[in-house]
Amino acid sequence: SKSMKQVIRKNEFKVTFNQNFEAVISNCKTIKRNGQGGTWITDEMQEAYIKLHKLGIAQSVEVWKHYDGAHCDKELVGGLYGIDLGTVFCGESMFSYVSNASKIGFISFIQNSNYKLVDCQVHTDYLESLGAEHISRSSFMEVLQELKH
């Protein structure tokens, strides 16, 4: 969108990849979400994803706040993580403490990847604003079959 292009041009954020997976999943687990009474990320799941990250299967995107053009590596303001299946990325969760931070992370991640499909799992207006489309399970399975070949 035009508004996101403006946010990107302002250069208020720095995006890194796989630099602090544990902080990303921890923030995804603990951030308060409207309409949700808690988190689906249990301690056991968190430990499993950290192990997957150490094996190179789970990936993270970190979004840091810039101050006066200088990188402030102590303020993680957004991020996301998921599973890398080669040509498919399965997004698991994202968080944002600053407006547009997770959007910047997602956009940067997609622009710097070679994925043919990103599985967002749950359709939301937020993800649709980033270009996501809802597809049926059968269509999803067809795309996965095509990507196998």
Side-chain angles (χ1 to χ4, degrees):
S1 68
K2 285 184 180 181
S3 61
M4 280 311 298
K5 286 179 184 176
Q6 290 174 344
V7 170
I8 292 168
R9 277 195 297 270
K10 286 182 183 178
N11 198 30
E12 295 176 351
F13 302 102
K14 176 173 177 135
V15 179
T16 58
F17 306 100
N18 298 308
Q19 297 300 304
N20 202 336
F21 184 90
E22 292 186 29
V24 170
I25 194 169
S26 178
N27 279 285
C28 287
K29 179 179 179 180
T30 59
I31 193 166
K32 301 280 187 221
R33 299 176 193 273
N34 291 335
Q36 295 181 7
T39 182
W40 59 271
I41 305 171
T42 64
D43 291 342
E44 294 81 12
M45 290 176 77
Q46 185 175 2
E47 289 173 28
Y49 280 110
I50 290 169
K51 287 179 184 175
L52 289 171
H53 174 68
K54 289 177 180 175
L55 293 170
I57 298 168
Q59 308 291 316
S60 66
V61 178
E62 304 87 20
V63 183
W64 310 89
K65 184 73 174 160
H66 273 278
Y67 291 104
D68 298 322
H71 179 233
C72 177
D73 63 0
K74 292 185 171 61
E75 190 172 6
L76 183 65
V77 296
L80 62 107
Y81 76 95
I83 301 296
D84 178 352
L85 298 176
T87 58
V88 177
F89 181 79
C90 299
E92 296 296 328
S93 189
M94 58 186 358
F95 77 96
S96 183
Y97 293 114
V98 174
S99 183
N100 296 314
S102 61
K103 284 183 181 180
I104 290 289
F106 185 77
I107 291 167
S108 183
F109 176 67
I110 296 304
Q111 289 176 338
N112 289 286
S113 75
N114 292 319
Y115 295 111
K116 305 292 183 204
L117 176 69
V118 176
D119 177 7
C120 298
Q121 299 186 30
V122 177
H123 180 268
T124 65
D125 291 340
Y126 176 78
L127 291 170
E128 190 173 305
S129 75
L130 297 174
E133 296 177 25
H134 181 268
I135 61 173
S136 68
R137 177 174 171 73
S138 60
S139 295
F140 178 76
M141 296 306 290
E142 286 176 25
V143 171
L144 288 180
Q145 284 299 319
E146 289 173 18
L147 292 174
K148 278 177 62 175
H149 302 294

